Amino acid sequence: MTIRLYDTNARQIRDFAPLTPGCVSIYLCGATVQAAPHIGHIRSGLNFDIMRRWFVYRGYDVTFIRNVTDIDDKIIQKSADQDRAWWSIGYENERAFNAGYDALGCLPPTYEPRATGHVPEMIEMMRGLIERGHAYAVDGNVYFDVKSFPGYLELSNQDLDGLRQPSGDGETGKRDHRDFAMWKASKPGEPDWETPWGRGRPGWHLECSAMAHKYLGTAFDVHGGGIDLIFPHHENEIAQAKAYGDDFANYWVHNAWVTLAGEKMSKSLGNSVLVSEMVQRWQPIVLRYYLGTPHYRSTIEYSESALDDAAAAFARITGFLTRVREKAGTDIEPTPEVPLAFAEAMDDDLGVPQALSVVHTTVRQGNSALAADDKETAIARAAEVRAMLGVLGLDPFDAHWAGESEDSDDLHGAVDSLVRLVLQQREAARGRKDWGTADAIRDQLQQSGLVIEDGPDGPRWSLGKR
């Protein structure tokens, strides 16, 4: 068994070899909490949640760090625009991000450090870089000298001569316009911290280099994030960390965007679809299926019809599992191991689409067994399906999705009794060939967010689009 990952830095798929046998260390660039999350943000969390789950399934002990950027230019600008404390904006949106991650079934990180909680580590890194000749202070700013680091731009494969480095207001005194800010001098009314070079606040890139060093040491296995972070953020992280003396990340893994009308989904473009709104209209597990099952390096073009297709596909899986459980008269426990074809697909750069085809093939085999009244085979296929879905965080019978409380069970039982009463009325209408009444009952149930499926054992219901 060898897991293989596409390494952005190597520009090829590489065999995964952990730095410490049996252990995997992952650093994921998490939320910049200037606004509530859209589904593009949560996709990144989902993709790396699936990676983490697969490493765990393969027997690794995983340390997973996902940071929070709780101070940056946009948060400060929103603070001024709204006449509201910057930390209040950040905290509100941090909670919204965590609610989104939790709603879609992402496991909590091992640690989730905030940038503002690690200013001492940033100061220490800047001091070391200045001493080594890789950084310099001027006008209260601290800049990284990009020409001092020979490996600069290897990740993004750019030419230094033609480089245009994004810069912010107040970045005065640069020796070279391509140098980037690690620390920004304070302005009136802005949050700031004391340093040997004057009061100011962190630059975006410094925080991740410092936090990765603190929580994962001088070297770790995987650094992840969206493809939009390759430059400047990840390129500048590498420069800081390696110039400081760290080996830093061994593999660089990047997920693609969620787009809308061909454009990257983003807050600045105003084309984002907020997670808080989506979970009111769709089951969270369906959203996870929609966002998590395309290959992580493939762009997802958002559309309502694509979500409808995802809901229908997932309903076929859950419908099969529910029928088998009813047939067996008891819960079906997942198999200890997933089918070989599923494992091979996941080992090959987290090939979730290929793995999912194994799930659907197994469901079809199980449905055929049900049709043939082969209870034993149907149960075996259902156990395999639950094992595969569990790895993807999509097992509908898992406590996260099914609920653990007695109140939840009681509510489901009450709703089930009411719906079955209505379905009996529909069956009676069908029995007397009153198709108009039968169709009207079905349509009314569907408008209430229920999916009605007619089968050989009678009609069934499940939750659909909200």
Side-chain angles (χ1 to χ4, degrees):
M1 173 275 298
T2 301
I3 296 175
R4 306 174 72 229
L5 296 173
Y6 183 86
D7 180 5
T8 304
N9 193 48
R11 295 171 184 81
Q12 64 180 356
I13 293 178
R14 296 172 54 201
D15 288 350
F16 178 76
L19 295 171
T20 302
C23 298
V24 176
S25 47
I26 302 172
Y27 186 95
L28 174 63
C29 283
T32 298
V33 289
Q34 55 161 307
H38 58 65
I39 58 174
H41 295 128
I42 299 299
R43 184 197 181 182
S44 179
L46 275 176
N47 288 151
F48 287 93
D49 182 66
I50 291 171
M51 172 191 283
R52 174 190 187 177
R53 289 170 182 266
W54 186 245
F55 276 128
V56 170
Y57 173 82
R58 281 305 198 190
Y60 289 101
D61 181 13
V62 178
T63 300
F64 183 74
I65 310 299
R66 186 182 68 210
N67 78 294
V68 176
T69 298
D70 59 342
I71 187 71
D72 80 335
D73 292 340
K74 293 179 180 178
I75 294 173
I76 292 172
Q77 184 60 52
K78 289 201 171 188
S79 173
D81 293 344
Q82 299 176 16
D83 191 23
R84 182 180 171 194
W86 62 271
W87 48 262
S88 174
I89 293 171
Y91 182 60
E92 176 183 278
N93 292 314
E94 180 183 339
R95 292 185 66 187
F97 267 89
N98 283 329
Y101 290 133
D102 183 63
L104 271 64
C106 294
L107 300 172
T110 310
Y111 305 109
E112 192 169 26
R114 297 188 183 103
T116 56
H118 296 79
V119 170
E121 289 83 358
M122 298 182 207
I123 292 173
E124 183 60 30
M125 183 166 279
M126 285 188 289
R127 181 182 288 113
L129 289 169
I130 290 172
E131 291 173 353
R132 293 169 174 80
H134 292 292
Y136 56 95
V138 58
D139 298 337
N141 299 299
V142 180
Y143 298 109
F144 187 91
D145 180 356
V146 299
K147 290 189 293 186
S148 73
F149 181 65
Y152 191 59
L153 300 180
E154 287 183 358
L155 180 69
S156 57
N157 198 29
Q158 296 186 78
D159 177 39
L160 183 60
D161 291 337
L163 179 68
R164 295 179 63 85
Q165 186 80 255
S167 295
D169 294 338
E171 294 186 11
T172 61
K174 282 187 180 182
R175 297 174 185 171
D176 188 312
H177 72 277
R178 295 165 297 189
D179 295 344
F180 62 86
M182 295 191 295
W183 190 263
K184 298 187 178 186
S186 63
K187 299 177 186 176
E190 289 188 355
D192 56 17
W193 289 260
E194 185 63 60
T195 77
W197 314 283
R199 296 191 66 85
R201 61 182 175 84
W204 177 28
H205 318 299
L206 178 63
E207 62 185 64
C208 286
S209 298
M211 288 188 286
H213 178 90
K214 177 178 178 65
Y215 291 95
L216 297 177
T218 60
F220 57 95
D221 293 305
V222 178
H223 195 311
I227 56 173
D228 53 322
L229 300 182
I230 295 174
F231 182 84
H233 187 48
H234 289 166
E235 194 74 75
N236 292 350
E237 279 187 60
I238 293 171
Q240 293 165 152
K242 291 197 170 183
Y244 185 68
D246 291 356
D247 290 328
F248 212 47
N250 199 19
Y251 298 82
W252 286 87
V253 180
H254 293 92
N255 65 277
W257 293 330
V258 178
T259 60
L260 185 61
E263 291 187 296
K264 171 196 171 187
M265 191 171 287
S266 71
K267 288 170 277 195
S268 59
L269 292 176
N271 63 358
S272 59
V273 182
L274 295 180
V275 176
S276 59
E277 297 172 357
M278 296 295 287
V279 296
Q280 299 302 314
R281 299 165 51 208
W282 299 89
Q283 288 179 273
I285 195 170
V286 169
L287 284 177
R288 183 180 176 99
Y289 182 94
Y290 172 68
L291 293 171
T293 54
H295 194 273
Y296 74 90
R297 290 193 284 121
S298 298
T299 299
I300 299 175
E301 174 66 15
Y302 171 79
S303 70
E304 289 285 314
S305 62
L307 258 168
D308 283 330
D309 291 343
F314 191 66
R316 289 193 290 272
I317 298 173
T318 56
F320 162 68
L321 290 175
T322 302
R323 284 191 292 274
V324 175
R325 184 166 67 172
E326 291 176 353
K327 188 83 169 177
T330 185
D331 286 340
I332 308 300
E333 293 301 318
T335 55
E337 296 185 358
V338 298
L340 178 61
F342 181 95
E344 289 176 342
M346 292 297 291
D347 281 341
D348 188 12
D349 194 30
L350 304 176
V352 177
Q354 294 76 18
L356 196 63
S357 71
V358 180
V359 174
H360 284 288
T361 296
T362 308
V363 168
R364 288 193 293 271
Q365 293 169 349
N367 280 326
S368 296
L370 282 175
D373 202 24
D374 183 353
K375 177 179 172 181
E376 184 176 338
T377 298
I379 290 174
R381 298 293 82 78
E384 291 172 346
V385 169
R386 281 204 66 190
M388 292 184 282
L389 293 179
V391 167
L392 299 176
L394 285 168
D395 181 1
F397 298 153
D398 183 86
H400 178 84
W401 306 112
E404 296 179 294
S405 70
E406 292 183 6
D407 289 344
S408 175
D409 292 339
D410 291 343
L411 178 60
H412 184 276
V415 172
D416 183 64
S417 297
L418 291 172
V419 174
R420 288 189 181 279
L421 180 61
V422 176
L423 288 176
Q424 287 173 9
Q425 295 173 349
R426 176 172 175 259
E427 286 302 290
R430 286 164 62 109
R432 61 178 182 266
K433 297 186 179 180
D434 185 357
W435 309 118
T437 298
D439 289 345
I441 292 173
R442 180 201 61 204
D443 293 344
Q444 193 168 14
L445 287 171
Q446 289 177 340
Q447 288 173 10
S448 300
L450 302 177
V451 175
I452 306 303
E453 180 183 2
D454 292 309
D457 298 324
R460 314 173 44 79
W461 70 273
S462 61
L463 288 174
K465 184 177 178 180
R466 294 178 177 177

